[in-house]
Amino acid sequence: MNTNLHAHMEQTLVRLRESVRATAPILVDFLRDEVEKTGFHDVVFGLSGGIDSALVAYLAVEAFGAERVHPVIMPYRLSSAASLRDAQAITSDLGLKADLVEITPQIDAYFSRDPSASLLRRGNKMARERMSILFDHAAVYRALVLGTSNKTELLLGYGTQFGDLGSAVNALGDLYKSQVRALAEQLGVPAAILHKAPSADLWEEQTDEKELGFTYDEADVLLHHWVDRWLTRAEIEALGFAPELVEGVMRRVRLNHYKRVPPVIAKLSSRTIGIDFLYPRDWGM
């Protein structure tokens, strides 16, 4: 990375981080309003020990109080022991009671019929199994499922459709990864979680950035310029970003757009759900 690009990235990241200084109360009010206006009072979410779910935990407790917040820890046999310790540190710090649900039996039973299944298939199955468990817990607690995907992940499609992307309410979806880290630090998320390498923890030594092929900082700055500032590809490359990186990021955003929209319904009548039969989420409540 050349010196000019490095300096530009640092300046942009500082601005992105500073822009979220006053957002915690906004997100707390958002969670409380979006959950309670639909008739629910409790929330459920997956607590992985990573920074995104940690931030959701701190925001949720501020919004609802610990007694109405129900984290679920769902390790697989290859999950990092450090992730479990970090998740437990969060529950201890916030006074939360977490449900621990081991997903190894059902995952291994399913893939016993196809031991050669790829890591991608296994990871997607784990993500969907976890979301299935969360919605079952939501029925137990009469709660809504909170999402933990940030803006960077959503744009890049770094998530599993109907898995970790299948939540009911998401407070982090307009925060880039660097902004999540800044807000988490502001709210007192433990340093061990703030500074560890981001990972979906789907298999041993898996990290997000290793899979993506670039850093979250690079993605955040590039996406900010493209999505928020409407810069063209040529303008972004002029900042010093490698053309292959710009193309790779933009291609991921385009190819994964289907994950960010509801299922497409063929229009046959005068009013079709999702097209011209449109009402607010809390219609009729």
Side-chain angles (χ1 to χ4, degrees), residues 17 23 32 47 53 55 57 63 72 77 101 118 123 159 172 176 200 211 226 255 265 280-281 285:
R17 292 170 189 139
T23 57
R32 189 182 296 121
L47 185 61
S53 64
L55 178 55
V72 187
R77 59 181 172 82
V101 181
S118 67
L172 307 189
Y176 289 110
E211 267 195 280
W226 184 36
L255 289 178
I265 295 176
R281 180 184 179 87
M285 296 302 298

Side-chain angles (χ1 to χ4, degrees), residues 6-24:
H6 179 74
H8 173 77
M9 283 188 52
E10 286 300 311
Q11 292 167 2
T12 304
L13 288 167
V14 167
R15 288 197 297 271
L16 286 173
R17 292 170 189 139
E18 289 180 345
S19 70
V20 299
R21 287 185 181 274
T23 57

Side-chain angles (χ1 to χ4, degrees), residues 56-218:
V56 168
Y58 281 74
L59 291 170
V61 168
E62 183 67 23
F64 305 105
E67 69 282 356
R68 291 165 56 190
V69 176
H70 310 284
V72 187
I73 302 172
M74 297 167 283
Y76 179 66
R77 59 181 172 82
L78 298 180
S79 297
S80 166
S83 293
L84 179 59
R85 289 196 300 271
D86 289 337
Q88 291 170 334
I90 293 166
T91 60
S92 177
D93 188 37
L94 293 173
L96 292 170
K97 181 181 178 182
D99 290 322
L100 179 64
V101 181
E102 170 69 57
I103 67 169
T104 300
Q106 55 265 53
I107 297 298
D108 285 355
Y110 180 81
F111 284 110
S112 65
R113 56 201 288 252
D114 188 5
S116 63
S118 67
L119 291 177
L120 176 62
R121 285 181 56 198
R122 292 175 184 273
N124 283 337
K125 177 65 174 173
M126 289 181 212
R128 292 187 177 112
E129 183 64 33
R130 286 173 171 135
M131 190 53 70
S132 174
I133 291 167
L134 289 178
F135 274 96
D136 180 61
H137 277 67
V140 172
Y141 294 112
R142 184 162 168 69
L144 284 187
V145 176
L146 300 184
T148 60
S149 295
N150 59 63
K151 187 172 185 175
T152 313
E153 294 168 338
L154 292 174
L155 285 169
L156 294 174
Y158 195 67
T160 300
Q161 194 176 29
F162 308 118
D164 48 313
L165 302 183
S167 63
V169 178
N170 185 351
L172 307 189
D174 209 17
L175 295 173
Y176 289 110
K177 188 74 169 186
S178 55
Q179 294 175 310
V180 167
R181 185 173 290 108
L183 191 56
E185 183 175 13
Q186 179 183 320
L187 294 184
V189 171
I193 297 171
L194 288 173
H195 302 300
K196 70 179 180 180
S199 171
D201 203 20
L202 297 174
W203 53 81
E204 289 181 292
E205 299 184 3
Q206 183 256 349
T207 69
D208 296 0
E209 294 175 330
K210 188 185 298 183
E211 267 195 280
L212 290 168
F214 45 80
T215 69
Y216 272 119
D217 283 353
E218 289 174 314

Side-chain angles (χ1 to χ4, degrees), residues 2 5 222 233 236-237 239-248:
N2 64 55
L5 177 59
L222 197 161
R233 174 173 175 168
I236 294 171
E237 290 180 4
L239 296 172
F241 285 98
E244 58 271 21
L245 174 60
V246 178
E247 170 58 25

